[in-house]
């Protein structure tokens, strides 16, 4: 090629302005999401919408520069394990695990793909991370439980009239391995509050239905994806027993439960989106500290209180973030 031909060729090349180059789409990244809730469940739909919005706020837009593979376990541990296999096989750039079983199953299948978790209890004792400040490995995220929380649940039940003297603690031992930690905190608080605490394990529809016979006390429902997945049956049994109950999630109160004191799972998903953004931009999961909840909410359903014939102390009502009339 001579000089004249070279100059002619250069004249046909269009140089794009820098502003145009900046607008060119980046390579699409891939996020796998495994949740314990059902895809058509109101909770699952709300969480998905919050996550998509939060990611977009960091510049990651689904169907644009981010592909999201959604998987929902619907409270079925066998299904969650199968879906974990599917997600890891897709080789995503990063995984989001919502709920303890999701973390367990994904962690068993990969030590290289970064995993961010949300709505998980006590990740250290469960072996998900080495410690909160320095998680190590490929897992980090946001917990839904702070130590004094369990004692607060019990204290709320003592602010009910007629007075509560006996409390049954509801959980599924197979799906809530962290329950002994919470029970220890509750038992410590019970000695100060002068109430008797008794475990009331559930693991199927029959054991949930049997709670309707617990008419000589009140109920405290621990965080557990089993209780969330079976909340309709649980709420029906408690309504039949006509006893006060406190729950770990606002969802129970919205659907007829008496009261809850809980972390804000929506806030956890927004914070998880920030970690996903940082990891996709080069940060290491091992270097991002696990964070405990910072936002709590107290919800009370006065309609339910009237239905079961109890009153709540004015001081408790004054602290409520929301009172359902």
């Amino acid at each position: 090629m001579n000089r004249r031909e070279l100059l002619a060729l250069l004249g046909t090349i269009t140089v794009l302005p820098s502003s145009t180059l900046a607008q060119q789409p980046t390579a699409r990244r891939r996020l796998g999401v495994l949740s314990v809730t059902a895809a058509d469940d109101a909770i699952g739909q709300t969480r998905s919408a919050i996550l998509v919005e939060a990611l977009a706020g960091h510049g990651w837009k689904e169907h644009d520069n981010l592909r999201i593979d959604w998987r929902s376990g619907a409270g079925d541990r066998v299904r969650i394990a199968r879906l974990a296999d599917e997600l890891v096989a897709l080789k995503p750039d990063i995984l989001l695990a919502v709920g303890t079983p999701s973390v367990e199953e994904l962690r068993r299948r990969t030590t290289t793909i970064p995993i961010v978790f949300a709505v998980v209890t006590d990740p250290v004792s469960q072996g998900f991370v080495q410690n909160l400040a320095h998680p190590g490995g490929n897992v980090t995220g946001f917990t839904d439980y702070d130590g004094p929380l369990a004692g607060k649940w019990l204290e709320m039940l003592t602010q009910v009239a007629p007075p509560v003297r006996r409390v049954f603690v509801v959980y599924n031992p197979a799906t809530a391995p962290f329950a002994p930690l919470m029970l220890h905190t509750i038992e410590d608080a019970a000695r100060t509050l002068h109430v008797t605490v008794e475990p009331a394990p559930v693991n199927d529809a029959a054991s949930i239905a049997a709670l309707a016979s617990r008419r000589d006390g009140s109920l405290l429902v621990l965080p557990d994806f089993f209780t969330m997945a079976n909340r309709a049956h649980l709420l029906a049994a408690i309504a039949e027993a006509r006893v006060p109950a406190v729950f770990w999630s606002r969802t129970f109160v919205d659907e007829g439960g008496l009261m809850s004191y809980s972390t804000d799972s929506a806030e956890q998903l927004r914070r998880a989106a920030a970690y996903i953004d940082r990891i996709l931009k080069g940060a290491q999961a091992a270097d991002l500290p696990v964070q405990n909840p910072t936002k709590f909410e107290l919800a009370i359903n006065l309609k339910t209180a009237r239905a079961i014939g109890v009153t709540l102390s004015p001081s408790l009502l004054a602290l409520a973030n929301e009172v359902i009339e």
Side-chain angles (χ1 to χ4, degrees):
M1 180 181 295
N2 59 36
R3 183 171 179 273
R4 180 178 297 176
E5 291 171 331
L6 176 61
L7 290 173
L9 176 62
L10 291 174
T12 65
I13 298 175
T14 301
V15 178
L16 295 175
S18 59
S19 59
T20 302
L21 289 172
Q23 296 171 7
Q24 298 304 302
T26 58
R28 180 182 289 189
R29 309 298 292 277
R30 194 164 192 169
L31 165 66
V33 179
L34 180 58
S35 175
V36 297
T37 56
D40 58 352
D41 185 277
I43 298 172
Q45 292 176 343
T46 299
R47 288 176 175 176
S48 297
I50 290 169
L51 178 65
V52 169
E53 180 183 11
L55 287 168
H58 291 283
W60 299 103
K61 298 181 180 180
E62 188 178 17
H63 309 305
D64 182 4
N65 61 351
L66 182 69
R67 172 171 178 170
I68 305 179
D69 298 296
W70 303 93
R71 297 293 187 275
S72 302
D76 185 332
R77 189 57 184 263
V78 174
R79 175 180 169 84
I80 292 170
R82 177 172 57 79
L83 295 176
D85 281 330
E86 290 182 13
L87 281 177
V88 172
L90 294 174
K91 298 181 179 179
D93 297 288
I94 189 169
L95 292 159
L96 173 64
V98 183
T100 295
S102 298
V103 186
E104 283 185 328
E105 298 300 341
L106 289 173
R107 183 173 168 272
R108 288 173 182 171
R109 289 159 175 79
T110 180
T111 58
T112 56
I113 301 174
I115 300 171
V116 175
F117 61 74
V119 199
V120 168
T121 302
D122 196 19
V124 176
S125 70
Q126 294 191 79
F128 299 158
V129 297
Q130 294 175 9
N131 59 64
L132 299 185
H134 304 285
N138 63 319
V139 181
T140 189
F142 301 86
T143 76
D144 66 350
Y145 177 72
D146 194 33
L149 197 55
K152 181 66 176 179
W153 292 324
L154 189 65
E155 182 183 346
M156 289 168 62
L157 286 172
T158 65
Q159 298 186 54
V160 173
V164 167
R165 298 295 179 222
R166 190 177 187 188
V167 178
F168 299 103
V169 181
V170 180
Y171 64 98
N172 184 340
T175 55
F178 42 79
L181 170 72
M182 295 183 177
L183 278 168
H184 180 71
T185 301
I186 292 169
E187 288 164 352
D188 283 347
R191 285 188 282 272
T192 302
L193 297 169
H194 307 293
V195 296
T196 299
V197 170
E198 182 179 327
V202 293
N203 54 23
D204 55 21
S207 57
I208 291 175
L211 294 174
S213 65
R214 305 274 189 169
R215 301 171 188 264
D216 56 341
S218 61
L219 298 174
L220 191 164
V221 181
L222 294 185
D224 185 350
F225 85 91
F226 176 86
T227 57
M228 178 60 77
N230 292 277
R231 65 187 182 277
H233 298 300
L234 187 60
L235 287 167
I238 295 172
E240 183 178 347
R242 293 178 58 84
V243 296
V246 63
F247 302 90
W248 59 275
S249 170
R250 160 72 183 276
T251 301
F252 289 90
V253 177
D254 290 337
E255 297 181 9
L258 178 61
M259 54 187 174
S260 67
Y261 187 62
S262 61
T263 58
D264 187 340
S265 60
E267 181 66 16
Q268 288 186 53
L269 289 171
R270 294 186 186 99
R271 297 167 75 192
Y275 266 19
I276 291 169
D277 171 57
R278 292 176 64 178
I279 291 172
L280 287 175
K281 291 176 179 176
Q284 298 297 311
D287 299 329
L288 299 177
V290 174
Q291 297 187 38
N292 283 328
T294 58
K295 189 175 181 181
F296 302 85
E297 59 179 2
L298 169 62
I300 294 174
N301 191 323
L302 282 183
K303 181 180 178 181
T304 299
R306 289 191 292 270
I308 63 176
V310 302
T311 58
L312 306 176
S313 72
S315 60
L316 184 63
L317 289 170
L319 292 172
N321 298 92
E322 182 161 351
V323 177
I324 299 172
E325 297 286 351

